[in-house]
Amino acid sequence: GLLASLGIGLIIGLGNYIEVFTNPRIFSVFGVSLYYFAASFMQMAIALYFATILSFSTRFSNLFRGILFFPYLINGVAIGFVFLYLFQPGGTLDSLLSFFNLESLQRQWLGDPTVANFSLAGTSVWRYTGLNFVLFLGAIQSIPKELYEAADIDGANRWQQFWSIIFPGIRRIIGLSFILAI
């Protein structure tokens, strides 16, 4: 009995895998996930850029830090309602496009299958960039200031400091963000 049920289970399980990878309708679900996978890399890049810029002394850096982190603190239901009004036909986004005489760009932002995933992935980028920003900023601020001073004395510009000091110093946090993104 046990051997027979294992054999039947194996055949059924194998049949399910064959169905998933050969049925284009089921396999297309994985394609939809690519939008959000790409968006997660975009949010990591944006967060790393702003964390690097705001780790140096910048005017109004605390204000910008708050602006970048605030969307992560908002309740998901509230974000859903805000973006529902933003993306609805004749909503905020369409009004902005009309104001700039770009009516040709107006779409059914959530109703058109060719645009809906971009809209939702963009919302995800806006919301979750703050988490990566705080992780990257904390990691950058943990790098000893003496390294930056030595790089300044050696004549390194900000770009060289990023590639030689910051990026290697926060590599583990970037790896963590990569795992969280997946």
Side-chain angles (χ1 to χ4, degrees):
L2 179 64
L3 222 50
S5 64
L6 283 175
I8 292 171
L10 181 65
I11 292 170
I12 292 172
L14 186 60
N16 289 340
Y17 279 107
I18 291 170
E19 175 72 17
V20 164
F21 289 110
T22 58
N23 186 340
R25 198 163 163 229
I26 295 174
F27 195 70
S28 68
V29 171
F30 296 113
V32 170
S33 298
L34 292 177
Y35 289 100
Y36 303 98
F37 189 67
S40 64
F41 285 108
M42 185 185 310
Q43 79 189 20
M44 285 174 53
I46 293 168
L48 183 58
Y49 173 77
F50 282 112
T52 302
I53 296 294
L54 295 175
S55 67
F56 298 110
S57 60
T58 309
R59 182 178 262 185
F60 302 114
S61 66
N62 287 335
L63 173 69
F64 291 125
R65 290 175 186 178
I67 289 171
L68 285 167
F69 187 62
F70 183 70
Y72 183 69
L73 298 176
I74 300 174
N75 183 316
V77 174
I79 289 175
F81 279 119
V82 167
F83 279 92
L84 180 65
Y85 290 116
L86 178 77
F87 289 133
Q88 74 181 355
T92 309
L93 185 56
D94 286 346
S95 298
L96 281 172
L97 291 171
S98 293
F99 180 77
F100 291 109
N101 293 325
L102 298 172
E103 289 88 4
S104 64
L105 297 177
Q106 292 178 348
R107 303 273 184 276
Q108 290 279 339
W109 298 105
L110 297 176
D112 183 0
T114 61
V115 181
N117 286 315
F118 289 111
S119 302
L120 295 173
T123 303
S124 176
V125 168
W126 177 80
R127 180 169 187 205
Y128 292 108
T129 297
L131 174 64
N132 286 322
F133 168 73
V134 168
L135 291 172
F136 294 152
L137 185 64
I140 290 170
Q141 289 178 341
S142 70
I143 296 172
K145 299 292 181 204
E146 294 82 20
L147 293 175
Y148 297 114
E149 292 170 4
D152 281 334
I153 291 171
D154 289 340
N157 61 26
R158 297 282 188 212
W159 182 250
Q160 291 167 332
Q161 288 180 14
F162 174 78
W163 281 111
S164 299
I165 299 171
I166 294 173
F167 190 75
I170 66 169
R171 187 174 302 152
R172 290 179 187 223
I173 301 299
I174 292 172
L176 171 69
S177 293
F178 180 74
I179 290 169
L180 291 175
I182 292 174

